[in-house]
Amino acid sequence: MKYLSQFLIILGFTFAGEALQRIIPLPIPASVYGLLLLFGALCLGLVKLEQVKETGHFLASILPLLFVAPTVGIIEQWGLIADKLLPIALILV
């Protein structure tokens, strides 16, 4: 039950970031808004670290797994992006 409540807190900040991204027309991803909101809440003491710590560690530990699908997509589309590799790398840097 502890993990579910921690996940719901994180999910609430994610949804708040989605709402904020729709309200403020800046080219900032909603996930960044959510992270900033959660960071601000942690700094102000509105959310205690213990309220999200274990679930945050779990989500950070499975983060590499979330990159498998985009990597497979890049490999599948390599023929289309191979000639644009240098501009893409510059943009990423």
Side-chain angles (χ1 to χ4, degrees), residues 38-75:
L38 180 57
F39 179 70
L42 285 167
C43 287
L44 293 174
L46 300 173
V47 175
K48 304 287 186 242
L49 182 60
E50 293 78 29
Q51 293 175 300
V52 293
K53 187 175 184 176
E54 288 87 4
T55 301
H57 280 296
F58 170 72
L59 291 173
S61 71
I62 66 165
L63 195 59
L65 182 63
L66 301 176
F67 288 102
V68 170
T71 303
V72 170
I74 289 171
I75 291 171

Side-chain angles (χ1 to χ4, degrees), residues 4 15 19 23 25 36 40 44-45 48 53 59-60 62 70-71 74 79 81-82 84 90 93:
L4 180 61
F15 285 145
I23 293 170
L36 290 174
L44 293 174
K48 304 287 186 242
K53 187 175 184 176
L59 291 173
I62 66 165
T71 303
I74 289 171
I81 65 171
K84 299 172 185 74
L90 291 174
V93 170

